[in-house]
Amino acid sequence: MKQETERIDELIKATLSQEEARFYEDLEEQGLLTKIGEVYKGKMGWLAILMNIVHLIIFGFFIYCLVQFLGTREIPEMIQWSCGGFLCMVFMGMLKLYMWMQMDKNDILRELKRLELVVSGLAQKKEM
């Protein structure tokens, strides 16, 4: 499978001009850390930063709930603190899910740009 992908990439680069080929290379698959960094760039980067700040605050409240849960001997209080901790974990999971969806969206946009580049290159070759 990987050999087919590399062969297709070589065929695509052969049909493109040098400038288009350099642009195509910039659209290559990114590593995990690069993908995470891309979430903080662009128009919605401020929202990702804000969500990380909120995530840290909620994590602090989760630790507080855990300490209170372990420090009490009353069953009703244990239930209250465990519910608070559970809600914190659910909320933190939702924030992480949003970040992963943003990374996936960036991957899809990158692939669309690659397709647009290939289609425009093929359209120019057909006109010649």
Side-chain angles (χ1 to χ4, degrees), residues 49-99:
I49 293 170
L50 180 66
M51 286 186 152
N52 272 344
I53 293 169
V54 169
H55 190 274
L56 288 173
I57 292 169
I58 292 171
F59 181 70
F61 187 67
F62 171 72
I63 296 297
Y64 177 74
C65 287
L66 182 65
V67 168
Q68 293 298 320
F69 174 80
L70 295 174
T72 187
R73 301 258 184 242
E74 302 290 324
I75 299 295
E77 287 183 34
M78 286 178 146
I79 292 172
Q80 290 174 348
W81 289 117
S82 64
C83 287
F86 178 75
L87 288 175
C88 288
M89 287 192 299
V90 167
F91 198 69
M92 287 189 299
M94 291 298 163
L95 290 175
K96 288 195 183 297
L97 184 62
Y98 173 79
M99 298 299 271

Side-chain angles (χ1 to χ4, degrees), residues 27-28 30 106-114:
L27 296 175
E28 288 292 320
Q30 297 175 335
N106 290 342
D107 284 345
I108 291 170
L109 288 174
R110 187 179 328 98
E111 290 300 320
L112 282 174
K113 288 178 184 178
R114 288 177 73 179

